Amino acid sequence: MAQSNQPPLSLEDLIPGGNSFNKYRVQSPSQVQWWADTPVQVKGDSVVTLPIDEKQTSKVIISKDNINKSISSIGKEPLATLGTISFPYGEEPVMMLTRGSNSYLYNLDSQTIEASFSLPKDASNNDFSKEGKAIAYTRDNNLYILDTDSRETAITADTDKGIVNGQAVHRNEFGISKGTFWSPTGNQLAFYRMDETMVTDYPLVDISTRIAELKDIKYPMAGMKSHHVTVGVFNRTTGQTTFLKTGTPKEKYLTNIAWSPDEKYIYLAELNRGQDTCKVVRYDAVSGKLDATLFVETHPKYVEPEHPVLFLKNDPNLFIWQSERDGYNHLYLYDTSGNMKKQITSGKWDVTDVLGFDVTGNYLYYVSTEVTPLERHIYQLSLKNGKTVQLSKEAGVHSALLSESGKYLIDRYTSQYNPGKIAITDTKRNKSYEAFAAKNPYKDITLPEITLGSLKADDGKSDLYYRLVKPLNFDPSVKYPTIVYVYGGPHSQLVDNSWMGQVRGWDIYMAEKGYIVFTLDNRGTANRGIDFENITHRQLGVVETQDQMTGVNYLKSLPYVDADRIGVHGWSFGGFMTLNLMLRHPETFKVGVAGGPVTNWKYYEIMYGERYMDSPKENPEGYAETSMVDKAGDLKGRLMLIHGDEDPTVVMQHSLQFLKSAIKKGTHPDFFVYPGHGHNMIGRDRVHLHEHITRYFDDFLK
């Protein structure tokens, strides 16, 4: 990096919520997407095209002023900003525009409003059906539909707050991110109904009122009663709702909902509570009866479906299913009788995203880790002959949007020294045009050196990737205090070949202050195959700690690391790992800061907890071995726990139980609470959080 006279960056510059944070964010085009085969973006108060090759220039499609004239003509308040846009109808000149509780279908040719939707102010979980021209949404715990005539239809009318309709269920595990699913024509709506009345109320306390108020949530802990979920199907023509007859036991997981192309059936992945058996099943959408069990997947540890069936574009009798059955996440072709026709991707790498088909349905586009686990690349797959072509050109982490016909891709990517580029790729010719390259927001600032590398785990075969940030103005003859920043849990990857190696702002700040900051992805993390991840099953924290110590031993081998001044910090699962390292290796770690830490998995929720640990009754030895509460007496160094007092994810009971045990056993951790915050601190308080963490290391490690 170029030398400069500018002072080092502050937490205000580096932490979200800081006054100058946006100044140092990479600036990229806003809302880049496809209008059929035309790439567009929001630029200021206008929607403009992106060029697809060097012959084209950007053109204005529509401006906010023109849109506001049309909005004012129907008696609505003009827009202050454009809001969220989309082009749901292919080549048709119709744009969907949403800001606040108002949505509009705007005709670009006639510059008129074709339809408007004004949702109630308290509406949430909005889900638009482009075919049915209607929006499903929830208010409180009930589900509604609003059509183009501004007619509201109540789908449910439950008065018990323990019944939740139209929202994500199973605490958003299994890839579940929403609770409503429109049929292909928009005439029917499938939705989740979750009965939590049998789940114990868990108390959170709001201290912002004169007399603190109780805020009960439903929090099913591992080994305790779970909620019951069903799937309703509402028919807009008949006004009737049918519930799928999913039967007993009621404590199971209904995941990955998909409609058949002819709207006659609903496909589900059903898991038993133990999560070791997954049935891919089909229900009749009219009667709600089980039509067929297509196939069953089992695993001695767990099965984790996260993607619904994907029907082929040119054959409604065939679909693609994602599975880790061969050890990596790959694509399999099935017919609707449940017969596997073939495995269509294979290798010691994971498919991480499926982008869609071309207009013929003969080509499928996906993203994978085939080149290296540190990168993501885009591929075109011929479904006829199985041939693949890599479409991403440069090294780095790529994500993509496929145009409606499949003729083009919007390829967004970064790498360690590339803050962000957007390329438009012609998929037939495999030619890419660089439409945008972001400026480096740190180009005039001297930054710490960031190094990526790998170590061998103690199994002698697994590569463990790490990131090492050296102090600013590094002097190899000096011995520096070192902080291990850790997460280490499932579905995570903190080290890759993205911008600056995915470094955090706090890492840069601490390196400016003279610390080495080290991060390693241990076994148990994502995108390395199922065996790499599930080796931690029934003993969370044990193998992960072994791998983190492999990293620590590497640090100790470096002449510029002060082995007597090693600290550790992490949040959530990383808080749990901070405690593991501090308590299992008290001779190594002098200081630790554990944020929102799990301290005993019996206090954690069912879905995640029982997948990775089984229930406390099934695995008492594992729960005992991984309990940080039981190990509180092993504390030797300085340890601070931090918790939000309204945390609904890792409830504050975790920290309080640890403190109670420490008092009983005569150790002295420190504790800091963020009133009114949940699992993470946001806004200005996030800057305060990192100031507080920094002060602790400065006081006791530096």
Side-chain angles (χ1 to χ4, degrees):
M1 295 294 182
Q3 296 294 316
S4 73
N5 295 320
Q6 180 166 330
L9 296 168
S10 69
L11 289 175
E12 297 285 353
D13 301 326
L14 293 166
I15 301 299
N19 290 328
S20 47
F21 175 71
N22 285 334
K23 179 180 177 181
Y24 295 100
R25 293 184 67 186
V26 175
Q27 302 299 318
S28 297
S30 173
Q31 298 194 58
V32 177
Q33 58 187 283
W34 288 107
W35 173 16
D37 284 339
T38 300
V40 301
Q41 63 162 313
V42 172
K43 191 171 185 179
D45 286 339
S46 298
V47 181
V48 303
T49 63
L50 276 171
I52 63 172
D53 56 39
E54 60 279 351
K55 299 176 183 178
Q56 289 193 353
T57 57
S58 182
K59 297 178 181 179
V60 175
I61 297 174
I62 193 69
S63 71
K64 184 187 72 174
D65 289 343
N66 288 339
I67 295 171
N68 275 340
K69 289 178 184 177
S70 302
I71 290 176
S72 296
S73 71
I74 62 170
K76 297 287 187 178
E77 287 290 322
L79 303 175
T81 61
L82 275 178
T84 303
I85 67 162
S86 63
F87 295 85
Y89 298 104
E91 293 181 346
E92 291 185 37
V94 177
M95 181 174 69
M96 182 80 171
L97 179 66
T98 299
R99 191 173 191 278
S101 59
N102 294 314
S103 295
Y104 306 95
L105 290 177
Y106 181 82
N107 190 297
L108 296 163
D109 285 351
S110 64
Q111 296 193 15
T112 58
I113 303 293
E114 290 191 350
S116 67
F117 305 86
S118 294
L119 295 175
K121 297 295 183 183
D122 57 349
S124 57
N125 301 297
N126 305 346
D127 187 6
F128 176 63
S129 167
K130 63 180 182 180
E131 295 83 6
K133 292 190 176 179
I135 299 178
Y137 59 94
T138 62
R139 205 163 69 237
D140 295 326
N141 285 355
N142 281 306
L143 176 64
Y144 303 83
I145 291 176
L146 188 73
D147 61 26
T148 53
D149 297 324
S150 296
R151 183 177 63 231
E152 181 182 76
T153 302
I155 310 306
T156 65
D158 287 298
T159 56
D160 191 324
K161 290 188 176 181
I163 308 293
V164 181
N165 295 285
Q167 300 181 34
V169 298
H170 305 319
R171 294 188 69 84
N172 297 53
E173 297 290 340
F174 314 107
I176 297 171
S177 60
K178 63 175 191 168
T180 52
F181 308 86
W182 285 104
S183 67
T185 66
N187 189 50
Q188 298 181 81
L189 179 69
F191 63 92
Y192 278 126
R193 179 183 188 271
M194 178 167 61
D195 182 353
E196 297 184 292
T197 56
M198 69 293 298
V199 177
T200 303
D201 286 337
Y202 191 91
L204 300 180
V205 177
D206 178 2
I207 58 89
S208 66
T209 58
R210 174 71 183 274
I211 298 176
E213 293 182 355
L214 183 65
K215 292 168 56 176
D216 284 332
I217 62 171
K218 295 292 187 179
Y219 194 93
M221 289 184 178
M224 300 179 73
K225 285 186 178 296
S226 184
H227 53 235
H228 299 167
V229 170
T230 53
V231 177
V233 181
F234 176 75
N235 187 302
R236 293 177 69 192
T237 301
T238 65
Q240 300 298 309
T241 298
T242 300
F243 283 92
L244 304 187
K245 297 174 175 58
T246 51
T248 55
K250 292 184 177 181
E251 287 192 348
K252 58 185 171 184
Y253 303 118
L254 307 180
T255 74
N256 300 286
I257 293 175
W259 282 91
S260 63
D262 61 8
E263 300 193 347
K264 292 181 179 179
Y265 302 103
I266 291 177
Y267 287 71
L268 297 176
E270 292 186 0
L271 280 87
N272 62 327
R273 178 165 167 173
Q275 301 181 52
D276 57 7
T277 302
C278 170
K279 297 179 181 179
V280 177
V281 295
R282 181 173 62 225
Y283 286 89
D284 185 289
V286 175
S287 68
K289 293 180 179 178
L290 177 66
D291 181 71
T293 297
L294 301 179
F295 56 90
V296 179
E297 287 194 21
T298 62
H299 192 281
K301 293 183 178 179
Y302 56 84
V303 185
E304 190 182 4
E306 295 185 277
H307 307 279
V309 300
L310 175 64
F311 284 90
L312 265 58
K313 197 167 189 175
N314 55 8
D315 191 339
N317 297 310
L318 296 173
F319 63 81
I320 289 170
W321 176 249
Q322 297 191 43
S323 172
E324 295 179 294
R325 67 182 60 167
D326 76 345
Y328 293 85
N329 192 57
H330 282 299
L331 309 180
Y332 296 80
L333 185 65
Y334 275 87
D335 65 24
T336 50
S337 296
N339 301 308
M340 190 183 83
K341 310 300 287 185
K342 60 181 176 180
Q343 182 173 348
I344 57 179
T345 63
S346 62
K348 293 183 177 182
W349 43 269
D350 287 322
V351 172
T352 57
D353 193 15
V354 175
L355 304 173
F357 303 95
D358 74 335
V359 69
T360 68
N362 293 325
Y363 291 95
L364 177 71
Y365 298 85
Y366 66 90
V367 180
S368 81
T369 63
E370 184 171 353
V371 173
T372 166
L374 295 180
E375 299 187 357
R376 305 288 179 274
H377 286 278
I378 308 163
Y379 295 86
Q380 178 194 69
L381 168 68
S382 169
L383 293 173
K384 289 186 175 180
N385 60 27
K387 181 182 177 182
T388 60
V389 176
Q390 182 176 322
L391 300 175
S392 44
K393 308 298 187 299
E394 295 185 27
V397 175
H398 293 253
S399 62
L401 292 172
L402 188 67
S403 72
E404 185 181 42
S405 71
K407 186 177 180 181
Y408 299 103
L409 281 167
I410 295 171
D411 177 6
R412 303 188 75 144
Y413 59 99
T414 72
S415 63
Q416 185 174 358
Y417 303 108
N418 161 28
K421 292 182 180 181
I422 297 176
I424 308 299
T425 299
D426 183 321
T427 58
K428 185 176 182 180
R429 298 188 302 136
N430 197 10
K431 299 290 185 181
S432 295
Y433 169 73
E434 186 180 290
F436 171 82
K439 295 178 181 178
N440 178 2
Y442 305 113
K443 66 182 179 65
D444 297 323
I445 297 172
T446 303
L447 288 180
E449 178 186 342
I450 301 168
T451 302
L452 304 183
S454 67
L455 305 168
K456 285 292 182 188
D458 59 13
D459 64 2
K461 60 181 182 180
S462 298
D463 289 321
L464 306 175
Y465 296 103
Y466 69 80
R467 178 182 65 242
L468 187 142
V469 187
K470 291 181 180 177
L472 194 63
N473 304 316
F474 174 71
D475 182 347
S477 67
V478 174
K479 285 189 175 292
Y480 293 97
T482 299
I483 299 170
V484 175
Y485 176 73
V486 62
Y487 183 78
H491 297 281
S492 72
Q493 184 178 10
L494 299 188
V495 181
D496 61 18
N497 186 23
S498 60
W499 174 231
M500 296 176 67
Q502 210 185 135
V503 76
R504 304 165 67 247
W506 185 74
D507 300 0
I508 295 173
Y509 182 69
M510 297 305 281
E512 289 179 335
K513 290 173 65 65
Y515 294 89
I516 292 169
V517 184
F518 180 82
T519 294
L520 177 141
D521 284 325
N522 49 250
R523 284 172 291 175
T525 56
N527 305 311
R528 302 290 302 279
I530 189 65
D531 291 342
F532 187 91
E533 179 190 284
N534 72 20
I535 191 172
T536 65
H537 186 243
R538 290 171 64 93
Q539 53 173 2
L540 288 176
V542 176
V543 173
E544 299 96 317
T545 298
Q546 293 171 9
D547 287 352
Q548 291 296 327
M549 290 306 296
T550 296
V552 170
N553 290 333
Y554 165 69
L555 289 172
K556 288 180 176 180
S557 75
L558 301 175
Y560 46 83
V561 169
D562 187 341
D564 294 326
R565 291 188 295 163
I566 296 178
V568 57
H569 167 50
W571 202 273
S572 193
F573 197 100
F576 167 66
M577 285 301 300
T578 296
L579 297 179
N580 271 278
L581 290 165
M582 288 289 294
L583 303 177
R584 294 183 188 275
H585 296 277
E587 76 290 345
T588 298
F589 293 93
K590 186 177 181 182
V591 181
V593 178
V598 173
T599 64
N600 190 321
W601 289 103
K602 74 178 183 180
Y603 301 125
Y604 202 65
E605 54 94 350
I606 282 178
M607 278 59 68
Y608 186 106
E610 292 186 1
R611 178 188 311 137
Y612 299 118
M613 288 292 293
D614 289 335
S615 72
K617 185 177 180 180
E618 294 169 318
N619 184 22
E621 299 85 0
Y623 276 82
E625 172 59 25
T626 62
S627 171
M628 298 297 101
V629 172
D630 294 345
K631 292 178 172 56
D634 297 330
L635 179 62
K636 296 290 189 292
R638 295 300 302 241
L639 171 66
M640 179 167 64
L641 279 67
I642 303 177
H643 226 113
D645 73 338
E646 295 184 30
D647 191 336
T649 304
V650 181
V651 293
M652 200 167 67
Q653 184 174 0
H654 285 271
S655 285
L656 297 178
Q657 288 288 349
F658 184 87
L659 295 173
K660 182 179 179 181
S661 177
I663 293 166
K664 184 177 180 180
K665 296 179 180 181
T667 57
H668 295 269
D670 297 311
F671 188 44
F672 196 86
V673 175
Y674 277 89
H677 281 279
H679 193 46
N680 289 286
M681 284 73 250
I682 59 175
R684 291 291 304 159
D685 288 4
R686 191 163 184 83
V687 178
H688 182 279
L689 166 70
H690 286 89
E691 287 174 342
H692 202 70
I693 296 168
T694 301
R695 286 163 61 104
Y696 202 74
F697 284 110
D698 279 352
D699 287 346
F700 300 112
L701 189 66
K702 193 170 185 180

